[in-house]
Every structure is written in C-alpha cells, then in structure tokens.
C-alpha cells in the first residue's frame, strides 16, 4: 500500500532515474514536468519518492504569487504533514537556474532545510540561484495551466504554513475556498 509508506519518511529513499516525467492533474487541467536527477540529486530523489507514493494527491497550491511562484507541498492530512515537514534532505549545489517553468524545493535560510514544499517559477527568478535554490525539473507541457492557478490570495497564506500543516485541507477549504489543488501526480513514460 503506497499511502501507508508515507507514514514513515525514512523508508522512502529510492534513487530516482536519471530523467523522469510527472503528470499533474489539477483542478485547472494537466501539466507535465520532466526532472533531471543530475541537477539536484537529493531534490530529485525526494520528489520521485513523494510522487511514486502519492504524496501530492489532493494537496493545494497554497501560495500563488503571479509573476513569481506557485508553491505547494504541505500535505492535506495533518498526521502526514507534520512527519514530512520535519524530514529534511541535504542541500544540493545549484547547477541549473530558476527560470520560468522550473521546479525547485522551497527552503529556509538554514542549511539542509528542504522537506516537501516546492515551487514552480512563474518568471525568470534567477536571483534565487545564489540563495541556494536548486531547480531540477521543468514544465514541458501545460505551462498555461500553471499560469491559470488561482492567485488572488497572493502572499496572505504564506505566514499560515504552520496552521496549514496542523489543520490540513479542512483549514484551507474553509478559509481559502478558491485555491486550486492537485488531483493526482503520477510518474509517466
């Protein structure tokens, strides 16, 4: 049972293929990303394991800042969100650039602080490269879908990440009902 594995982050350590594609079916449509492990090995491995085990299914795009980023990755089930937000991965060297359409793990200013939150760059955010944000995937189909994700809440949800993790999708659906969500994220050929 894939979802059962999500309860123990320590067991999801499979090495990702050199390249792999992920199809996101969202409330606005479908987009496809292609990941390149060499660009950020620890990030690509974590992303691969999360997708393979259904982590992103049903979660919300909680931070959409037009002209900047779309952020997601806090699990809608608080019992899983807490476990994963404390399961950090090691930093990777920045080998790519945060150009429009690239996918990067969010992190704090502390070393090795990446866990499950990711963002898709909506613009050329190459200034993030020098801050240690290492992109590893790119939207190869459906960027127009990413551009349509609901962004009217802007940054107001950003400061509520602790509450999102503690209360899950119920909190977001009650207080921010227009947020778009991932229906499924799956590996494809």
């Amino acid at each position: 049972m894939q979802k059962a594995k999500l309860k123990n982050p320590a067991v999801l350590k499979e090495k990702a293929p050199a390249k792999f594609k992920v199809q996101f079916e969202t409330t606005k449509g479908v987009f496809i990303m292609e990941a390149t492990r060499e660009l950020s090995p620890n990030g690509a491995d974590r992303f691969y394991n999360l997708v393979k085990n259904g982590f992103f299914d049903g979660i919300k795009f909680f931070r959409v800042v037009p002209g900047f980023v779309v952020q997601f990755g806090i699990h809608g089930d608080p019992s899983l969100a807490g476990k994963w937000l404390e399961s950090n991965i090691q930093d990777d060297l920045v080998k790519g650039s945060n150009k429009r359409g690239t996918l990067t793990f969010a992190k704090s200013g502390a070393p090795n602080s990446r866990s499950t939150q990711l963002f898709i760059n909506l613009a050329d955010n190459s200034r993030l490269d020098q801050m240690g944000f290492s992109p590893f995937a790119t939207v190869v189909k459906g960027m127009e879908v990413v551009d349509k994700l609901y962004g009217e809440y802007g940054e107001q949800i950003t400061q509520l990440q602790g509450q999102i993790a503690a209360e899950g999708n119920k909190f977001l659906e009650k207080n921010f009902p227009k947020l778009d969500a991932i229906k499924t994220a799956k590996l494809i050929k």
Side-chain angles (χ1 to χ4, degrees), residues 26-31 61 64-67 69-70 100 120 122 139 142-153 178-181:
T26 75
T27 49
K28 282 287 197 298
V30 173
F31 66 90
F61 294 101
V64 180
V65 184
V69 297
V70 169
R100 176 172 161 75
I120 301 168
L122 295 176
V139 175
M143 190 64 194
E144 70 280 359
V145 172
V146 177
D147 287 331
K148 289 190 297 187
L149 295 170
Y150 188 79
E152 295 300 313
Y153 297 124
K178 294 181 179 178
L179 288 177
D180 284 301

Side-chain angles (χ1 to χ4, degrees), residues 50-178:
L50 291 172
V51 171
K52 186 175 180 181
N53 290 280
F55 180 86
F56 297 112
D57 297 356
I59 70 165
K60 306 285 185 180
F61 294 101
F62 71 88
R63 180 183 182 215
V64 180
V65 184
F68 184 44
V69 297
V70 169
Q71 191 166 331
F72 62 99
I74 300 176
H75 202 282
D77 176 346
S79 70
L80 291 176
K83 288 178 179 155
W84 280 97
L85 291 175
E86 295 174 4
S87 178
N88 294 347
I89 58 173
Q90 296 290 307
D91 288 336
D92 286 307
L93 294 174
V94 178
K95 297 178 183 172
S97 186
N98 285 276
K99 301 286 188 197
R100 176 172 161 75
T102 57
L103 180 71
T104 305
F105 271 93
K107 65 187 207 72
S108 70
N112 307 315
S113 59
R114 299 179 299 167
S115 64
T116 60
Q117 292 189 51
L118 297 122
F119 61 87
I120 301 168
N121 288 289
L122 295 176
D124 178 353
N125 294 319
S126 56
R127 68 186 182 283
L128 299 175
D129 301 351
Q130 64 209 24
M131 298 163 71
F133 292 95
S134 57
F136 61 91
T138 304
V139 175
V140 292
K141 184 178 180 188
M143 190 64 194
E144 70 280 359
V145 172
V146 177
D147 287 331
K148 289 190 297 187
L149 295 170
Y150 188 79
E152 295 300 313
Y153 297 124
E155 291 280 14
Q156 65 179 309
I157 305 174
T158 306
Q159 301 304 317
L160 303 173
Q161 292 180 41
Q163 195 165 2
I164 297 168
E167 299 179 42
N169 280 350
K170 287 181 183 174
F171 168 76
L172 290 173
E173 289 161 3
K174 178 182 177 189
N175 297 287
F176 303 97
K178 294 181 179 178

